[in-house]
């Protein structure tokens, strides 16, 4: 039973590694969505574990996307380097915003994160250097559009996020964040520097979102204000994490995998009503299993063990 | 030597003066009791010293250093630790992890050392089955866990805020022994309490608060015979 977890991860890894040989271009593209949403949903959940509700995914993904495309467009840097720069800039913006608003926390923090995307959307829409309303088009997509290589890049980003999440669940940062989300007064009285840990987790998760966003827009080789700062990038990953089960590493991963594939399928079946069906799935999930798939799974295994 | 010294410390909440010009000292290795009727400012005093609230005016010195405006976690690092009037276990963590929090962040121990140290404190306080979730613990155990969590920060000064509240007679006796045991390790303790028997048995000196002011201070025998204290707290007809 103890090793079954590692075995499951190993099987998952082998399956993921084998997929490019069996999937067509379209399916590989869907897998890219899955990986991007894993990075978004999981990083959002990592911040939620400290009790902070963020809508900043759209903002940081857009910042990462714009930065990386701008670097490629203006300086012709290698796409991988552009993605790393995009991630760093998202992290720096998070550091600046976080050090100002994380003293407030709660609702105030949530609203500010919601505003980040909107503010940057308006900025890039009105600047010449960012291509104004039309955005920017790169001459070439990353890896010249090679689907297998792109798949591996996105796979690496998702795996990186999963590893960071697992590390954060096993080190002292887990105790700091759990104590902060449980009871800030107890955390502070036990010596936890609440502000420091919140800034750290906010910067790390925002950098991940920036990285995933940067990679995503490198695949498309273009950015537009409405596309890059689309609020859907904040709301879809949040529903995915809730669907899979928050507070765990594998919950958001499973949720992202199931819902991004479902979303694509629904798009094909109901081109005009897919979001309606999607919403219906969400309502059903929240009504009948509010702790997500992982919650149901845990209940089941608990029953099975006793 | 005074380990803690407050000079005219006040704290207001809007128009309400919860503490006003409190000047007290706590000596090293002393057990000081703080008593007073409900709303006298006992818990506010603890919260101001521990940094949950900052004083509106006045000065707090700890081990000769001015810590008046230090944040709660800095006061913890300086060596002030406390338990809470209403228990505040971290339900997301189990027994040993709750204690480890103090060792990891109060004393900056790495995780492995923190676990070892915390196990020592659990043994010292007679806490068993340390991997239990909070939901499987009794009220007494949760109180002891909170003391262990406070001790794990290796403080110089420990505030026990109504640590006997809600305990039955046997449990109270158990807790009195525990406090004695902690004191015998050289700890300076400030104990806020309603149960006068506990104050009589444990404290070297008592500070009486009323309406946020120090009414009087001295040994239990002296304080409990003070007519003003009797009127304010023990009731007119009480004997001493």
């Amino acid at each position: 039973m103890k090793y079954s977890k590692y075995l499951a991860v190993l099987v998952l890894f082998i399956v993921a590694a084998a997929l490019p040989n069996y999937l067509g271009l379209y399916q590989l593209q869907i897998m890219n969505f899955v990986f991007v949403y894993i990075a978004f949903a999981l990083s959002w959940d990592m911040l939620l574990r400290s009790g902070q509700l963020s809508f900043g995914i759209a903002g940081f993904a857009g910042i990462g996307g714009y930065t990386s495309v701008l670097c490629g467009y203006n300086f012709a840097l290698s796409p991988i380097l552009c993605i790393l720069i995009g991630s760093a800039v998202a992290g720096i913006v998070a550091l600046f915003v976080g050090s100002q608003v994380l003293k407030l926390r709660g609702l105030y923090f949530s609203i500010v994160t919601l505003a980040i995307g909107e503010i940057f959307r308006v900025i890039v829409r009105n600047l010449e250097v960012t291509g104004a309303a039309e955005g920017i088009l790169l001459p070439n997509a990353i890896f010249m559009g090679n689907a297998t290589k792109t798949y591996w890049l996105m796979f690496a980003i998702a795996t990186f996020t999963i590893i960071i999440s697992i590390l954060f669940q096993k080190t002292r940062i887990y105790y700091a964040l759990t104590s902060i989300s449980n009871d800030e007064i107890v955390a502070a009285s036990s010596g936890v520097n609440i502000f420091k840990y919140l800034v750290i987790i906010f910067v790390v998760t925002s950098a991940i979102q920036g990285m995933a966003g940067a990679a995503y827009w490198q695949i498309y080789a273009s950015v537009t204000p409405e596309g890059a700062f689309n609020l859907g990038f904040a709301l879809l990953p949040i529903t995915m994490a809730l669907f899979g089960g928050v507070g765990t590493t594998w919950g958001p991963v499973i949720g992202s995998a199931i819902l991004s594939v479902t979303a694509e399928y629904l798009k094909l079946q109901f081109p005009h009503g897919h979001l309606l069906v999607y919403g219906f799935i969400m309502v059903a999930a929240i009504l009948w299993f509010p702790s997500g798939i992982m919650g149901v799974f845990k209940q089941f295994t608990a029953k099975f063990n006793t | 030597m005074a380990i803690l010294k407050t000079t005219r410390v006040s704290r207001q909440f809007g128009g309400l003066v919860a503490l006003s010009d409190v000047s007290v000292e706590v000596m090293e290795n002393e057990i000081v009791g703080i008593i007073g009727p409900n709303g006298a400012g006992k818990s506010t005093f603890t919260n101001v010293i521990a940094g949950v609230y900052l004083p509106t005016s006045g000065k707090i010195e700890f081990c000769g250093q001015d810590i008046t405006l230090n944040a709660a976690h800095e006061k913890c690092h300086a060596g002030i630790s406390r338990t809470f009037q209403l228990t505040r276990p971290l339900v997301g963590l189990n027994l040993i992890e709750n204690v480890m929090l103090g060792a990891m962040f109060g004393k900056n121990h790495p995780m492995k050392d923190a676990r070892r140290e915390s196990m020592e404190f659990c043994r010292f306080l007679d806490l068993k089955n340390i991997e239990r979730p909070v939901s499987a613990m009794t009220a007494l155990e949760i109180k002891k866990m909170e003391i262990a969590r406070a001790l794990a920060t290796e403080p110089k000064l420990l505030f026990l805020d109504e640590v006997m509240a809600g305990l039955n007679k046997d449990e109270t006796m158990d807790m009195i022994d525990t406090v004695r045991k902690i004191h015998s390790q050289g700890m300076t303790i400030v104990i806020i309490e309603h149960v006068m028997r506990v104050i009589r048995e444990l404290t070297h000196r008592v500070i009486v608060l009323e309406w946020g002011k120090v009414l009087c201070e001295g040994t239990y025998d002296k304080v409990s015979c003070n007519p003003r204290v009797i009127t304010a707290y023990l009731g007119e007809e009480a004997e001493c």
Side-chain angles (χ1 to χ4, degrees):
Chain A
M1 198 61 203
K2 200 182 167 191
Y3 295 101
S4 63
K5 213 161 71 181
Y6 298 99
L7 198 69
V9 172
L10 191 70
V11 169
L12 211 65
F13 198 86
I14 291 170
V15 169
L19 274 179
N21 301 326
Y22 299 102
L23 293 183
L25 276 181
Y26 174 61
Q27 283 93 338
L28 280 180
Q29 177 64 16
I30 294 175
M31 285 312 291
N32 288 343
F33 288 143
V34 170
F35 292 140
V36 156
Y37 280 118
I38 285 175
F40 285 158
L42 190 52
S43 59
W44 175 80
D45 185 59
M46 283 162 70
L47 184 61
L48 186 73
R49 290 173 206 159
S50 71
Q52 309 308 310
L53 176 63
S54 163
F55 295 104
I57 309 170
F60 293 113
I63 291 168
Y66 255 93
T67 311
S68 79
V69 170
L70 275 175
C71 283
Y73 185 75
N74 291 319
F75 312 114
L77 298 175
S78 89
I80 298 287
L81 188 61
C82 291
I83 291 170
L84 291 179
I85 295 172
S87 170
V89 170
I92 291 165
V93 172
L95 179 66
F96 176 73
V97 175
S99 57
Q100 297 305 313
V101 298
L102 277 171
K103 291 216 156 116
L104 293 170
R105 298 201 270 287
L107 210 54
Y108 304 98
F109 172 76
S110 300
I111 289 172
V112 171
T113 57
L114 187 62
I116 293 172
E118 288 302 295
I119 292 168
F120 276 91
R121 187 175 61 82
V122 172
I123 292 176
V124 296
R125 210 173 198 289
N126 288 290
L127 285 181
E128 276 305 311
V129 280
T130 53
E134 286 156 31
I136 297 171
L137 199 64
L138 283 176
N140 277 311
I142 188 167
F143 304 128
M144 298 297 168
N146 182 324
T148 311
K149 280 186 183 171
T150 317
Y151 172 89
W152 281 112
L153 172 73
M154 303 316 279
F155 178 70
I157 289 174
T159 310
F160 173 75
T161 312
I162 292 170
I163 290 169
I164 296 279
S165 168
I166 292 173
L167 274 183
F168 278 15
Q169 291 286 68
K170 288 195 186 300
T171 49
R172 55 194 285 135
I173 202 158
Y174 164 75
Y175 296 90
L177 297 182
T178 307
S179 69
I180 293 168
S181 87
N182 277 188
D183 192 328
E184 290 196 9
I185 290 179
V186 171
S189 300
S190 304
V192 178
N193 187 342
I194 295 176
F195 182 61
K196 182 180 105 182
Y197 279 98
L198 285 182
V199 170
I200 289 176
I201 190 71
F202 186 50
V203 168
V204 169
T205 56
S206 303
I208 289 173
Q209 287 154 12
M211 181 164 65
Y216 186 85
W217 294 109
Q218 283 285 342
I219 295 175
Y220 283 97
S222 69
V223 274
T224 57
E226 274 63 37
F229 294 102
N230 183 352
L231 196 61
F233 276 138
L235 299 179
L236 284 180
I238 291 175
T239 51
M240 288 168 182
L242 289 171
F243 184 76
V246 293
T248 58
T249 297
W250 296 107
V253 172
I254 294 168
S256 311
I258 293 176
L259 285 191
S260 12
V261 173
T262 311
E264 278 303 313
Y265 176 75
L266 288 175
K267 250 186 232 171
L268 291 180
Q269 298 298 314
F270 314 98
H272 298 293
H274 70 275
L275 281 179
L276 205 68
V277 183
Y278 196 83
F280 193 75
I281 294 175
M282 268 328 296
V283 172
I286 289 170
L287 276 179
W288 289 310
F289 46 103
S291 50
I293 293 171
M294 282 304 275
V296 174
F297 180 71
K298 270 182 192 161
Q299 273 173 12
F300 182 75
T301 48
K303 247 184 216 158
F304 187 73
N305 286 341
T306 56
Chain B
M1 196 197 107
I3 187 167
L4 177 78
K5 186 179 177 210
T6 69
T7 319
R8 298 173 63 87
V9 165
S10 303
R11 168 72 210 199
Q12 297 182 1
F13 296 101
L16 178 80
V17 183
L19 280 183
S20 120
D21 289 337
V22 174
S23 302
V24 293
E25 286 188 352
V26 175
M27 300 297 161
E28 217 166 321
N29 204 17
E30 193 179 31
I31 303 184
V32 174
I34 297 184
I35 61 170
N38 284 327
K42 306 182 297 292
S43 283
T44 307
F45 180 73
T46 312
N47 282 329
V48 165
I49 302 297
V52 176
Y53 311 129
L54 294 178
T56 2
S57 65
K59 190 174 168 193
I60 306 168
E61 282 168 280
F62 182 68
C63 295
Q65 279 182 317
D66 185 353
I67 58 155
T68 313
L69 296 177
N70 288 16
H73 68 273
E74 291 168 332
K75 282 177 172 148
C76 171
H77 293 156
I80 298 173
S81 196
R82 54 89 58 95
T83 64
F84 297 88
Q85 184 175 3
L86 301 169
T87 53
R88 301 178 91 140
L90 300 168
V91 290
L93 302 175
N94 67 24
L95 200 171
I96 186 74
E97 290 171 335
N98 261 276
V99 181
M100 279 167 69
L101 190 78
M104 272 191 285
F105 297 99
K107 205 58 198 170
N108 217 11
H109 281 302
M111 235 166 86
K112 261 192 188 147
D113 297 354
R115 178 171 277 272
R116 205 183 49 235
E117 297 270 326
S118 303
M119 282 160 87
E120 283 294 316
F121 284 114
C122 287
R123 203 169 302 135
F124 178 69
L125 289 174
D126 205 23
L127 283 164
K128 296 191 177 77
N129 293 331
I130 54 171
E131 299 291 347
R132 257 182 307 168
V134 171
S135 56
M137 293 167 65
T138 66
L140 177 67
E141 283 173 324
I142 291 178
K143 276 174 186 276
K144 281 191 168 182
M145 177 188 79
E146 296 207 339
I147 295 176
R149 188 171 65 201
L151 286 178
T153 68
E154 292 174 38
K156 298 185 185 101
L157 174 63
L158 178 65
F159 273 82
L160 299 174
D161 195 351
E162 297 206 19
V163 75
M164 311 288 171
L167 300 184
N168 66 33
K169 216 170 177 184
D170 291 344
E171 289 170 333
T172 306
M173 289 312 295
D174 184 327
M175 195 57 99
I176 288 176
D177 286 343
T178 304
V179 175
R180 282 220 178 93
K181 223 161 82 178
I182 296 167
H183 177 250
S184 70
Q185 305 276 315
M187 184 72 68
T188 313
I189 298 172
V190 176
I191 182 162
I192 291 144
E193 200 42 77
H194 267 309
V195 186
M196 292 309 280
R197 192 167 56 90
V198 175
I199 293 287
R200 189 179 63 218
E201 293 220 3
L202 280 174
T203 58
H204 304 133
R205 197 158 57 87
V206 181
I207 297 166
V208 187
L209 290 180
E210 192 198 19
W211 300 116
K213 289 195 173 80
V214 178
L215 188 65
C216 72
E217 58 175 288
T219 59
Y220 174 83
D221 294 332
K222 192 178 134 203
V223 163
S224 59
C225 289
N226 185 320
R228 288 172 67 200
V229 176
I230 294 168
T231 334
Y233 186 57
L234 298 174
E236 301 262 5
E237 67 276 22
E239 291 171 23
C240 58

